[in-house]
């Protein structure tokens, strides 16, 4: 069988390259242009054949001996998931991959905290691929999306607080909620009460004491207080919690809290 017939046969069945001894470059190309992974069955491929194989299937890089840094960078830019098939990828390659997807962190060995933070800032759920993320990494993830909390084992108080600060729905992801933890998180975002079961045992007195503790602070979180003042579960006759916020702030509020109170009511 002459070369042309081999090439025609390979176009119909590229896997046939496995059974051809000493194939020509043209035969190799006929096979890898259809399925780059067939590079695995070709001995001593030419540079042209390698390029054709990688163009068709970037994952075929695992069958390339001593690929250059330039080649690897080009492949990662084309498809970040290629990182999985690169043995001991460099810091530069990992960074290139993470620019496309934070999920690339799962193919990095012992990534630095800085790299981990970049990954979760790109895709918050990339934290599921990080073993024992530091508090800084956890915080970066929940700041992007509170749902990152579902992937964090044993989040710190600061991480839970940041999650509910972003969205009170994060309370759904706080395991084994106690009254003490519920009140701590209430001091961060008053709207978390909508996600606290009555079985937790939070009382009106508990809430009032927590509010007093918060509003008495000189460096009170302005966004928290404004949120509290507009929370319809407090104050009015139809409110869930009959707590007179105006009176509480007038009696116990810091100068800053009282100024925010005045500013808020001047809006109406």
């Amino acid at each position: 069988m002459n070369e042309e017939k081999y090439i025609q046969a390979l176009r119909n069945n590229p896997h046939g390259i496995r059974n051809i001894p000493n194939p020509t470059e043209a035969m190799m190309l006929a096979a890898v242009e259809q399925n780059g992974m067939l590079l695995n069955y070709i001995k001593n491929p030419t540079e042209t054949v390698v390029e054709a194989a990688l163009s068709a299937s970037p994952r075929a890089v695992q069958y390339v001996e001593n690929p250059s840094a330039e080649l690897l960078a080009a492949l990662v830019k084309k498809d970040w998931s290629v990182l999985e098939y690169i043995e001991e990828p460099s810091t530069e390659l990992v960074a290139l991959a993470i620019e496309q997807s934070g999920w690339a962190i799962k193919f990095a060995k012992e990534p630095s905290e800085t790299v981990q933070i970049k990954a979760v800032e790109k895709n918050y759920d990339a934290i599921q691929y990080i073993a024992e993320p530091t508090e800084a990494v956890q915080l970066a993830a929940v700041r992007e999306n509170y749902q990152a909390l579902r992937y964090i084992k044993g989040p710190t108080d600061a991480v839970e607080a940041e999650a509910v600060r972003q969205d009170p729905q994060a309370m759904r992801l706080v395991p084994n909620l106690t009254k003490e933890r519920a009140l701590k998180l209430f001091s961060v975002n008053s709207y978390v009460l909508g996600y606290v079961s009555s079985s937790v045992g939070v009382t009106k007195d508990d809430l009032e004491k927590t509010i007093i503790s918060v509003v008495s602070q000189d460096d009170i979180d302005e966004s928290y207080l404004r949120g509290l003042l507009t929370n319809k579960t407090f104050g009015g006759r139809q409110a869930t919690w009959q707590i007179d916020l105006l009176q509480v702030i007038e009696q116990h509020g810091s100068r800053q809290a009282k100024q925010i109170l005045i500013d808020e009511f001047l809006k109406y």
Side-chain angles (χ1 to χ4, degrees), residues 196-214:
V196 177
S197 169
S198 59
S199 63
V200 174
V202 172
T203 67
K204 174 184 173 182
D205 286 343
D206 292 326
L207 294 177
E208 192 161 349
K209 288 177 182 178
T210 302
I211 292 170
I212 290 173
S213 175
V214 174

Side-chain angles (χ1 to χ4, degrees), residues 186 190 207-208 211 215 225 227-236 241-253 261 265:
F186 168 71
S190 66
L207 294 177
E208 192 161 349
I211 292 170
V215 301
L225 183 52
L228 178 66
L229 291 169
T230 56
N231 191 330
K232 297 185 183 301
T233 60
F234 293 97
W241 303 97
Q242 296 297 314
I243 298 175
D244 189 334
L245 296 178
L246 179 60
Q247 184 178 29
V248 169
I249 296 173
E250 286 182 341
Q251 291 182 358
H252 305 282
L261 174 65
F265 276 93

Side-chain angles (χ1 to χ4, degrees), residues 10-261:
L10 289 168
R11 285 173 179 164
N12 294 326
N13 179 21
H15 286 271
I17 195 71
R18 306 184 190 188
N19 305 314
I20 300 177
N22 304 314
T24 63
E25 182 180 68
M27 294 178 193
M28 296 178 189
L29 287 171
V32 300
E33 283 175 352
Q34 296 180 75
N35 186 341
M37 300 301 286
L38 291 173
L39 188 64
N40 185 34
Y41 303 101
I42 296 176
K43 295 181 179 179
N44 304 314
T46 64
E47 184 175 340
T48 300
V49 171
V50 170
E51 290 176 354
L54 294 177
S55 178
S57 305
R59 292 184 297 124
V61 68
Q62 62 192 294
Y63 306 124
V64 179
E65 294 185 9
N66 304 315
S68 67
E70 292 75 14
L71 173 61
L72 294 177
L75 288 173
V76 169
K77 286 180 180 179
K78 183 177 181 180
D79 181 357
W80 65 268
S81 65
V82 170
L83 202 65
E84 179 180 4
Y85 305 98
I86 298 175
E87 188 175 350
E88 298 184 0
S90 66
T91 301
E92 290 74 21
L93 283 179
V94 171
L96 278 176
I98 288 176
E99 285 179 7
Q100 299 173 61
S101 173
W103 284 22
I105 196 73
K106 64 182 175 179
F107 303 125
K109 294 182 179 180
E110 300 182 355
S112 67
E113 182 179 72
T114 300
V115 170
Q116 293 177 35
I117 289 174
K118 287 182 179 179
V120 299
E121 287 179 341
K122 186 70 175 180
N123 296 92
Y124 74 88
D125 55 352
I127 198 167
Q128 65 188 294
Y129 302 114
I130 300 174
E132 300 181 357
T134 63
E135 184 175 76
V137 176
Q138 295 178 33
L139 287 170
V142 298
R143 282 172 183 147
E144 291 301 315
N145 192 311
Y146 75 88
Q147 293 199 49
L149 203 59
R150 73 173 67 250
Y151 303 110
I152 301 173
K153 295 180 180 179
T156 64
D157 289 348
V159 172
E160 289 184 344
E162 185 59 38
V164 300
R165 183 178 288 111
Q166 299 301 318
D167 194 314
Q169 293 187 76
M171 291 294 285
R172 301 177 189 272
L173 303 175
V174 176
N176 306 314
L177 186 66
T178 62
K179 182 168 77 170
E180 180 183 9
R181 289 172 75 195
L183 291 171
K184 282 184 177 179
L185 296 174
F186 168 71
S187 70
V188 175
N189 186 334
S190 66
Y191 285 90
V192 302
L193 287 179
Y195 303 92
V196 177
S197 169
S198 59
S199 63
V200 174
V202 172
T203 67
K204 174 184 173 182
D205 286 343
D206 292 326
L207 294 177
E208 192 161 349
K209 288 177 182 178
T210 302
I211 292 170
I212 290 173
S213 175
V214 174
V215 301
S216 63
Q217 297 172 11
D218 292 329
D219 58 346
I220 185 172
D221 182 341
E222 181 174 342
S223 62
Y224 171 81
L225 183 52
R226 291 187 186 278
L228 178 66
L229 291 169
T230 56
N231 191 330
K232 297 185 183 301
T233 60
F234 293 97
R237 292 181 179 180
Q238 303 301 317
T240 305
W241 303 97
Q242 296 297 314
I243 298 175
D244 189 334
L245 296 178
L246 179 60
Q247 184 178 29
V248 169
I249 296 173
E250 286 182 341
Q251 291 182 358
H252 305 282
S254 64
R255 181 177 180 180
Q256 178 67 11
K258 291 176 180 177
Q259 183 59 53
I260 294 171
L261 174 65

